[in-house]
Amino acid sequence: MPRVKAITTGSIPSFLDVILNFAESDTSSTLAMQDTWPSQLKAKPGGRLVMYGDDTWLKLFPDTFFRSDGTTSFFVSDFTEVDRNVTRHVPFELDQSDWNGMIMHYLGLDHIGHKAGPRSPHMIPKHHEMDAIVERIYQALQTKDHLKSTLLVLCGDHGMNDAGNHGGSAPGETSPALVFMSPKLKEISQGSPCPIETPKSAFQYYNVVEQSDVAPTLAGLLGFPIPLNNLGIFIPEFLRFWSESERMDLMTSNAQQMLRIVQATFSDIAFDGVVDRTRCIEPASDGEQLQCHWATIKAIQDNQNAANEEKLSALTKFLQAAQDILSSTASSYDVSKLQLGIATAAATACCAVIALAALSPGEWSLWNCILVLSYGSMMFASSYVEEEQDFWYWISSGWLVLLYLKFFLLSTPIRYHQVLYSPILLVIHRILRRWNQTGQKHAGEPDIAKAFLPTHNVFLWIAVTATFLDMARRIAWTGLPGIPRQVAGCASIVLSMSALGFKIAFTIADTPELLSGIPQYLWKPIEGTSLVFTARIVFWGIALSAVYNAYHGIKLKPDLKSSANGKQFNFTAECSCG
């Protein structure tokens, strides 16, 4: 949602927009009352919009679309139907002439990234599918008379990192592609070489623009006003469509729209008055810097001998400076409140230390102090938070080494069978570290789960089955106290096997290739089983077990208390008799 807001309004989304992105029922994040290019397109004579794909657009723009068919974006296991639901409308809409804007938001690539990463075998076929759709639309633009003045904009609202996720600051996450396509663009460009052998830098192949630049560029190309809250700049490559005077009018309109936001942000600075040019050598603030840029524009415009290139250069410098400053201002924070939060956290930490001091050495060891202090210090850097698993890897390795030293050096006599436990656990620990890479830096690196298990399905399902059988054993022995062992065993088997059946049924529907090499008679009877019904059995079983354990624990407390009192009475009586 935040990225869609940036593309449609030209503004910078706030942290609150990220939070509202998870609230599907939230209505406060709607853009219905904001100035956007969809609302501008709809306001044009005969304006009608159609939308297919991610239903985020329907939540952001209620009552905006003439025809629509939304698909929820949270079923990330669906790689196919979410896109077919969009594509099935394409042939019909390309034959219609009753709309002036069509939005198609495909979700399949995003879902594949989240579920299996960018190197998934599903990724290349999905790219081919998208290529075919773009080709079909562009051919319609070339052949259908009512589409010959249509602009096709192909873009991503975000990229993905090596793990297939997004939301961070990695180049792959913040460098989505943007392509403008139309037969009319041949008037100003013959296209660009593709593919490029050596990109300028990571994920930067051609020119780089801000995501907010899409809104003013569409406004100029399609002939409607720039959105009021826009912080974007008209993409200069398209200026070749117009004459010099028209270019000046377009960029001046963009600069004046941006100036209104600058004046509202720096209300204590007069942008219409006379500026002391000596102060522009080293401006004292961001506001003064923008004031000097605007004064330069006015001085050049007043000079009748100034060339249009000079005027465009001054306008561009002002727009770029305003975009940088206003974008950083949009994400600025109240420092005093941050300081208050840090002080509150420090006071809480002091109270915790005071409380720990009351504990005996046996209850609170030096190792626990090191653990809490070192873990707490990680919270002051986002990079440490993203790689939190490394902390637990190292701290658990240190703990195993400490146990080894304890049993080998401090035990008298040496218990050799216990000494061997730590090296064995260290080997297991190392295997677990390589089992599934996580975090941000190494999430896409090869690991056991991605490189070994998909090609050794028999081993995978032996491990899965052993895990569920172990769960059944544990539930039977300790999970259902107070129930006869035979009854508890039957209940645990039903619950665990239902969970295993759900796992297999979900695999059949989601990644059936993981069942290749497994005899069909072991999983074929489960094929077609309702996932919802199986899930309900599992979750109802877990809920009933939790309720029973809570009831049994509450019922057991008085018995333990009376038992303890009885033992104390007997002990006193024995002492008295002695």
Side-chain angles (χ1 to χ4, degrees), residues 213-271:
D213 295 343
V214 173
T217 302
L218 290 179
L221 293 174
L222 302 180
F224 55 78
I226 298 174
L228 292 175
N229 296 321
N230 165 70
L231 297 181
I233 304 172
F234 188 89
I235 298 175
E237 283 78 3
F238 293 105
L239 289 175
R240 285 174 285 176
F241 265 127
W242 291 274
S243 63
E244 288 191 1
S245 61
E246 290 172 332
R247 295 175 192 176
M248 284 296 306
D249 293 340
L250 188 63
M251 296 300 288
T252 300
S253 174
N254 194 176
Q256 288 175 341
Q257 173 268 325
M258 193 89 76
L259 177 64
R260 288 191 289 269
I261 303 177
V262 170
Q263 288 174 324
T265 304
F266 303 99
S267 56
D268 57 330
I269 296 178
F271 287 84

Side-chain angles (χ1 to χ4, degrees), residues 138-210:
Y138 189 78
Q139 288 177 347
L141 302 188
Q142 291 178 308
T143 58
K144 296 180 183 294
D145 291 336
H146 66 282
L147 296 176
K148 286 187 176 179
S149 294
T150 301
L151 173 67
L152 172 61
V153 181
L154 176 66
C155 66
D157 54 341
H158 56 74
M160 64 177 67
N161 58 20
D162 289 338
N165 299 319
H166 53 85
S169 57
E173 299 169 77
T174 58
S175 304
L178 173 64
V179 185
F180 289 80
M181 289 173 276
S182 175
K184 295 183 72 68
L185 291 178
K186 292 181 179 179
E187 300 175 13
I188 63 169
S189 173
Q190 295 303 315
S192 301
C194 182
I196 290 181
E197 295 182 0
T198 54
K200 299 176 183 178
S201 59
F203 300 98
Q204 294 185 4
Y205 296 89
Y206 302 100
N207 294 334
V208 178
V209 299
E210 295 294 330

Side-chain angles (χ1 to χ4, degrees), residues 95-122:
D95 289 333
Q96 307 304 308
S97 59
D98 60 347
W99 52 264
N100 66 338
M102 177 167 66
I103 297 168
M104 297 177 290
H105 192 144
Y106 284 90
L107 292 166
L109 280 171
D110 181 64
H111 287 187
I112 292 172
H114 283 299
K115 189 70 176 178
R119 297 178 180 85
S120 165
H122 299 284

Side-chain angles (χ1 to χ4, degrees), residues 11 26 28 39 87 263 268 280 307 344 364 371 383 408 430 439 443 452 460 469 491 532 548 551 561 575:
S11 61
D26 177 76
S28 62
S39 63
T87 304
Q263 288 174 324
D268 57 330
C280 294
T344 304
W364 189 255
L371 173 65
S383 58
F408 187 72
R430 182 58 189 170
F452 178 79
L460 168 65
L469 290 175
V532 175
Y548 173 78
Y551 169 76
K561 187 175 181 180
C575 291

